[in-house]
Amino acid sequence: MGVIPGTLITKIKLAPMGDPIEFDVNGYELTMRLDDAGKIEVEKDEKWAIGLALWQCLIAWLCAWVTFLIASLVL
């Protein structure tokens, strides 16, 4: 399934009742039960998380700016 040491795994969503949980593993959406997910050892990469947050802010800012520009052209 691609869950090997060093693989970047991102939690996408959790079912309303808490089971199952969905992850992104190298572009593949992997859904598994919590008891199976609990058998996988993970290490949180703080540096990567901070970088991701910065990229998300930048993308949100760019989207807002483009929306503003398009709205200005239409009006």
Side-chain angles (χ1 to χ4, degrees):
M1 287 190 269
V3 185
I4 58 175
T7 301
L8 181 63
I9 299 174
T10 306
K11 182 175 87 171
I12 297 176
K13 59 186 168 186
L14 187 63
M17 299 298 288
D19 198 19
I21 188 169
E22 183 177 327
F23 298 99
D24 175 78
V25 181
N26 292 328
Y28 174 74
E29 294 175 359
L30 175 64
T31 304
M32 61 176 63
R33 297 204 175 277
L34 287 177
D35 59 334
D36 293 329
K39 297 173 186 174
I40 299 172
E41 293 181 25
V42 295
E43 180 179 305
K44 189 172 184 179
D45 187 351
E46 293 294 334
K47 189 183 339 178
W48 183 86
I50 292 169
L52 177 62
L54 290 174
W55 273 110
Q56 288 172 333
C57 288
L58 177 63
I59 290 170
W61 182 82
L62 287 173
C63 288
W65 184 248
V66 168
T67 302
F68 171 76
L69 289 175
I70 291 172
S72 297
L73 292 174
V74 171
L75 299 174

